[in-house]
Amino acid sequence: MSYLVYCTFDLKNASSKDYENAYTDLLRLGLAKVVKADAGHNVVIPTTSTMGFFNGSGATSVRDSVQNSVKSAFAARRLTSEVFIVVGGDWAWSVATT
């Protein structure tokens, strides 16, 4: 089954280069700052957030897998962070600006 994963994070005492590296690592894991909407146009996810689509046997196992991957990637760069991950199975999303 396909799951939508939304990951938002905060890096402690981090430089702009640290954030750039974090986004690179997250993209490598399948979590992007820019995703394609149903209509085919690119949508930029709000700052310090990423999103991706993952296959798995359940939301819990997908959450644990993604969380462990993010933690490992950030630890490898010695980044101190708070990470919040949401996994949805019957998902829908939208974007709006005000």
Side-chain angles (χ1 to χ4, degrees):
M1 182 169 174
S2 178
Y3 292 90
L4 171 68
V5 175
Y6 180 83
C7 172
T8 187
F9 63 96
D10 183 31
L11 301 180
K12 305 297 182 189
N13 302 312
S15 67
S16 59
K17 183 65 175 171
D18 290 331
Y19 275 94
E20 183 181 316
N21 289 334
Y23 284 122
T24 298
D25 291 340
L26 292 172
L27 183 58
R28 191 173 306 118
L29 297 174
L31 296 164
K33 287 177 55 170
V34 179
V35 295
K36 195 163 293 289
D38 291 341
H41 63 281
N42 288 334
V43 175
V44 177
I45 305 301
T47 304
T48 72
S49 296
T50 57
M51 195 163 73
F53 303 94
F54 295 80
N55 292 317
S57 59
T60 302
S61 65
V62 170
R63 179 205 59 206
D64 292 347
S65 175
V66 172
Q67 182 178 22
N68 289 334
S69 294
V70 171
K71 286 173 60 176
S72 293
F74 285 5
R77 292 194 184 271
R78 296 190 172 132
L79 298 173
T80 303
S81 65
E82 294 176 351
V83 178
F84 180 75
I85 295 175
V86 177
V87 177
D90 184 18
W91 47 266
W93 64 276
S94 68
V95 64
T97 56
T98 58

